[in-house]
Amino acid sequence: MAFAAALDTGSADMEDFASLLDATLGADTGFAGSVVTGRVIRVDDEFAVVDVGLKSEGRVLLKEFAAPGQKAEVKPGDLIDLFVERYEDKDGAIVLSREKARREEAWTNLEKSYTAQVRVNGVIFGRVKGGFTVDLGGAVAFLPGSQVDIRPVRDVGPLMGSPQPFQILKMDRARGNIVVSRRAVLEETRAEQRAELVQGLKEGMILDGVVKNITDYGAFVDLGGVDGLLHVTDIAWRRINHPSEALTIGQPVRVQVIRFNSETQRISLGMKQLMSDPWEGVAVKYPVGAKFSGRVTNITDYGAFVELEPGVEGLVHVSEMSWTKKNVHPGKIVASSQEVEVLILDVDEPKRRISLGLKQAQGNPWEVFMDAHPPGSIVEGEIRNITEFGLFIGITADIDGMVHMSDLSWEQPGEAAMADFQKGQIVKAKVLDVDVEKERISLGIKQLASDPAAEVLDKVRKGDVVTCVVTKIESNGIEVKVDDVLTGFIRRAELARDRDAQRPDKFAVGEKVDAKVTAVDRAARRLALTIKGKEVEEEREAMKEYGSVDSGASLGDILGAAIRRRNQGAGEE
C-alpha cells in the first residue's frame, strides 16, 4: 500500500503523509461530525460495540443509553443513531456518541419548532443563576425566572422533574444557546380558557376554583384561566377581619358569581351566598328585651360589635355600655373576644341590624340602690369631691350621692358648714331622695339629727307677736333669734312706725324686742318680722278701746292710757 510504503521509506514529509491518508481514507473521513445509523454487534460491561458500515467498529459507553442510576436498555441487533466524533482513537476504533446524536437530532427538531412557533416539551432539571435549566429531549435550554409562571412562584419544586410545555423564545445553534418560556404557554392557554369561560359566564353561576392570591381586602380565585375577586365581606356571614383567617393559597373553593362586567371582564365572587343566611328569622330568635351571651368581635370609637351566633352581630353603642362610665372609649369597658351578656334593644331584620345593651343586662345601679336604700336609710361613704355647692360621697364603687351645702348643718350656713369637711373623710348621711331617671341621689348630713327649730316652727303662725334677741346689726336691718333656735330678720323699713326711728344702729346685740311675724319660711327655717306692724296694730287697738281724736282726746292721752293699762296688768301678774 502507498501508506505502508511511505512509512517504510520515511522519505515523505508531513504533507505527503496527510495527502496519502486522504487518498487512502478519504471516503470514510467524511463521516466525522455527522450522525449515522449503526447496528449493535455485542454489549460488553461498559460499552456497546456498533457497526456503522465503516472499516472499523465503534464503541459507545452504556451510560449514554440510560438516565443516571438506571440500567441501559440496549441489545445486539438494535439499530441506533450515533454521532461520529472522530474516525479512530488510539486503539484504532471509531469514537461514537449516542448523547451527541440525540442532541443533534433535538436541535434539528427544535429549529423546526422554533421556525413554526410550535410548543416543545421539556423537563426542568436544574437551577442556575437567574433561572433554571430545561432538558428539551437532549438539548439543554435556559428558563429565566420571570418566564416560569404568570405570577411569581415561591416554590418551583413541584414543577421540577415533570414534563412541561415550553415556547422557544431564542435559538443560537452556533453558541448552543436556547431560551424558553413556560409563561408564554400559560398566557396563551389562559387566554383561550378565559375567552371560553367568559363567553358562557352568567351571574348566579356556581364554579369551582383555587385561591391564587390573598390581599387585605379579599382573595383572587383562579376559575380555570380567569381570575375573580372574592371580597372579604363575601367569604362568610360572620365577621372576618382578614381573608387569611378563612383561606389559604392553593385552597380549592366553590364560589358563586355575584357580579360580572362584560366590558371590563371583572368578576365578583361570593362564598357565603352558597350558605344559609343566618339573618333569616332573626327577629324571632332574638326578641326585644331578651338576654343573650355573645363574643366581642370588633371595637370602634362608637361602640362594640358582639357576635350572637356565626354571621349574626349586634352593635352595643357606647351610650349603652355602662351606667356610670360616661365619655369613655369602649375599649376600656370591654376587650376583644370577651364573652359578655347583652340585652336585645331593637331588631331591624331588613337592614340586618341589631341594637344591643350591655348596661341593661347588668341592672340599673340606681334602681338597685333604691331597692336596698329607700329614702330615710342611713349610708356611709368617703367624700370623693367637694364643690362650691356641696359634697359628693361615694356610696358604691360606681355611684356617688350629693349632700347640698344647705343639708350640712342646722345651725351653720352652708359655706361655713363646708369648712368642717375634707376630701377623703368618711361620713354618714341620710338618703333624702333617689331620682333613677336623672341618676341622682340626694343625701343629707344634718338630717341625721332632729331639727332644733322644728318645735318653734310648729308653734309660730303668721300674725303672732314673738320676743326676739338681736344677734346681728346690718345696714338694711337686724337679724334676731326666736327661742335661741329660729332665725328672723327685720328689715329697716319695719324697725319703727316713724321714719326717723327706722335706724338699725339704735338697737344693740343681745337686746330683746317684740315683733310681729309676717311670714314663715319652713324650708329655710326663717321668719320675716316687723316692729312697725306691731306698733300700728297696738295703736289701732288702743284707739278702739280708749277713744279717738275725734272725741276730743289727744293721741298721747289714748296711748298713755293704753300703756298704763298694760303695765297694771303686768304688775298684777
PDB file of all heavy atoms in Angstrom, residues 18-31:
ATOM      1  N   ALA A  18      -0.166  13.440   5.007  1.00  0.00           N
ATOM      2  CA  ALA A  18      -1.571  13.858   5.062  1.00  0.00           C
ATOM      3  C   ALA A  18      -2.263  13.577   3.748  1.00  0.00           C
ATOM      4  O   ALA A  18      -3.406  13.116   3.721  1.00  0.00           O
ATOM      5  CB  ALA A  18      -1.646  15.344   5.393  1.00  0.00           C
ATOM      6  N   SER A  19      -1.538  13.827   2.628  1.00  0.00           N
ATOM      7  CA  SER A  19      -2.170  13.588   1.326  1.00  0.00           C
ATOM      8  C   SER A  19      -2.404  12.118   1.087  1.00  0.00           C
ATOM      9  O   SER A  19      -3.420  11.724   0.511  1.00  0.00           O
ATOM     10  CB  SER A  19      -1.318  14.199   0.214  1.00  0.00           C
ATOM     11  OG  SER A  19      -0.042  13.601   0.199  1.00  0.00           O
ATOM     12  N   LEU A  20      -1.412  11.299   1.520  1.00  0.00           N
ATOM     13  CA  LEU A  20      -1.583   9.864   1.371  1.00  0.00           C
ATOM     14  C   LEU A  20      -2.753   9.352   2.199  1.00  0.00           C
ATOM     15  O   LEU A  20      -3.502   8.483   1.753  1.00  0.00           O
ATOM     16  CB  LEU A  20      -0.284   9.141   1.786  1.00  0.00           C
ATOM     17  CG  LEU A  20       0.906   9.265   0.819  1.00  0.00           C
ATOM     18  CD1 LEU A  20       2.162   8.658   1.439  1.00  0.00           C
ATOM     19  CD2 LEU A  20       0.608   8.557  -0.504  1.00  0.00           C
ATOM     20  N   LEU A  21      -2.901   9.912   3.428  1.00  0.00           N
ATOM     21  CA  LEU A  21      -4.015   9.491   4.308  1.00  0.00           C
ATOM     22  C   LEU A  21      -5.357   9.856   3.693  1.00  0.00           C
ATOM     23  O   LEU A  21      -6.289   9.062   3.703  1.00  0.00           O
ATOM     24  CB  LEU A  21      -3.872  10.157   5.682  1.00  0.00           C
ATOM     25  CG  LEU A  21      -4.919   9.763   6.725  1.00  0.00           C
ATOM     26  CD1 LEU A  21      -4.833   8.260   7.021  1.00  0.00           C
ATOM     27  CD2 LEU A  21      -4.707  10.562   7.999  1.00  0.00           C
ATOM     28  N   ASP A  22      -5.425  11.060   3.112  1.00  0.00           N
ATOM     29  CA  ASP A  22      -6.670  11.477   2.490  1.00  0.00           C
ATOM     30  C   ASP A  22      -6.984  10.615   1.273  1.00  0.00           C
ATOM     31  O   ASP A  22      -8.136  10.287   1.015  1.00  0.00           O
ATOM     32  CB  ASP A  22      -6.590  12.943   2.050  1.00  0.00           C
ATOM     33  CG  ASP A  22      -6.555  13.876   3.256  1.00  0.00           C
ATOM     34  OD1 ASP A  22      -6.996  13.421   4.350  1.00  0.00           O
ATOM     35  OD2 ASP A  22      -6.117  15.035   3.114  1.00  0.00           O
ATOM     36  N   ALA A  23      -5.930  10.230   0.551  1.00  0.00           N
ATOM     37  CA  ALA A  23      -6.150   9.424  -0.644  1.00  0.00           C
ATOM     38  C   ALA A  23      -6.644   8.042  -0.294  1.00  0.00           C
ATOM     39  O   ALA A  23      -7.422   7.435  -1.015  1.00  0.00           O
ATOM     40  CB  ALA A  23      -4.861   9.332  -1.456  1.00  0.00           C
ATOM     41  N   THR A  24      -6.130   7.507   0.846  1.00  0.00           N
ATOM     42  CA  THR A  24      -6.497   6.147   1.239  1.00  0.00           C
ATOM     43  C   THR A  24      -7.848   6.099   1.935  1.00  0.00           C
ATOM     44  O   THR A  24      -8.672   5.237   1.683  1.00  0.00           O
ATOM     45  CB  THR A  24      -5.418   5.564   2.168  1.00  0.00           C
ATOM     46  OG1 THR A  24      -4.156   5.650   1.526  1.00  0.00           O
ATOM     47  CG2 THR A  24      -5.751   4.123   2.514  1.00  0.00           C
ATOM     48  N   LEU A  25      -8.156   7.059   2.877  1.00  0.00           N
ATOM     49  CA  LEU A  25      -9.359   7.007   3.733  1.00  0.00           C
ATOM     50  C   LEU A  25     -10.325   8.145   3.453  1.00  0.00           C
ATOM     51  O   LEU A  25     -11.184   8.444   4.265  1.00  0.00           O
ATOM     52  CB  LEU A  25      -8.947   7.039   5.206  1.00  0.00           C
ATOM     53  CG  LEU A  25      -8.012   5.895   5.656  1.00  0.00           C
ATOM     54  CD1 LEU A  25      -7.606   6.124   7.090  1.00  0.00           C
ATOM     55  CD2 LEU A  25      -8.683   4.544   5.485  1.00  0.00           C
ATOM     56  N   GLY A  26     -10.126   8.811   2.346  1.00  0.00           N
ATOM     57  CA  GLY A  26     -10.943   9.995   2.081  1.00  0.00           C
ATOM     58  C   GLY A  26     -12.428   9.708   2.142  1.00  0.00           C
ATOM     59  O   GLY A  26     -13.222  10.490   2.655  1.00  0.00           O
ATOM     60  N   ALA A  27     -12.865   8.572   1.687  1.00  0.00           N
ATOM     61  CA  ALA A  27     -14.294   8.262   1.664  1.00  0.00           C
ATOM     62  C   ALA A  27     -14.861   8.100   3.062  1.00  0.00           C
ATOM     63  O   ALA A  27     -16.028   8.349   3.314  1.00  0.00           O
ATOM     64  CB  ALA A  27     -14.538   7.001   0.841  1.00  0.00           C
ATOM     65  N   ASP A  28     -13.994   7.631   4.005  1.00  0.00           N
ATOM     66  CA  ASP A  28     -14.500   7.365   5.358  1.00  0.00           C
ATOM     67  C   ASP A  28     -14.464   8.599   6.246  1.00  0.00           C
ATOM     68  O   ASP A  28     -15.315   8.775   7.101  1.00  0.00           O
ATOM     69  CB  ASP A  28     -13.663   6.261   6.016  1.00  0.00           C
ATOM     70  CG  ASP A  28     -13.823   4.936   5.263  1.00  0.00           C
ATOM     71  OD1 ASP A  28     -14.885   4.779   4.626  1.00  0.00           O
ATOM     72  OD2 ASP A  28     -12.909   4.106   5.347  1.00  0.00           O
ATOM     73  N   THR A  29     -13.438   9.428   6.088  1.00  0.00           N
ATOM     74  CA  THR A  29     -13.286  10.566   6.994  1.00  0.00           C
ATOM     75  C   THR A  29     -14.402  11.583   6.840  1.00  0.00           C
ATOM     76  O   THR A  29     -14.611  12.417   7.689  1.00  0.00           O
ATOM     77  CB  THR A  29     -11.945  11.266   6.760  1.00  0.00           C
ATOM     78  OG1 THR A  29     -11.864  11.643   5.389  1.00  0.00           O
ATOM     79  CG2 THR A  29     -10.785  10.370   7.136  1.00  0.00           C
ATOM     80  N   GLY A  30     -15.218  11.484   5.818  1.00  0.00           N
ATOM     81  CA  GLY A  30     -16.335  12.417   5.656  1.00  0.00           C
ATOM     82  C   GLY A  30     -17.431  12.191   6.677  1.00  0.00           C
ATOM     83  O   GLY A  30     -18.321  13.024   6.830  1.00  0.00           O
ATOM     84  N   PHE A  31     -17.385  11.055   7.349  1.00  0.00           N
ATOM     85  CA  PHE A  31     -18.407  10.759   8.362  1.00  0.00           C
ATOM     86  C   PHE A  31     -18.199  11.538   9.657  1.00  0.00           C
ATOM     87  O   PHE A  31     -19.112  11.669  10.454  1.00  0.00           O
ATOM     88  CB  PHE A  31     -18.400   9.254   8.674  1.00  0.00           C
ATOM     89  CG  PHE A  31     -19.041   8.434   7.584  1.00  0.00           C
ATOM     90  CD1 PHE A  31     -18.286   7.848   6.580  1.00  0.00           C
ATOM     91  CD2 PHE A  31     -20.429   8.257   7.579  1.00  0.00           C
ATOM     92  CE1 PHE A  31     -18.882   7.104   5.589  1.00  0.00           C
ATOM     93  CE2 PHE A  31     -21.010   7.494   6.577  1.00  0.00           C
ATOM     94  CZ  PHE A  31     -20.246   6.921   5.576  1.00  0.00           C
TER      95      PHE A  31
END
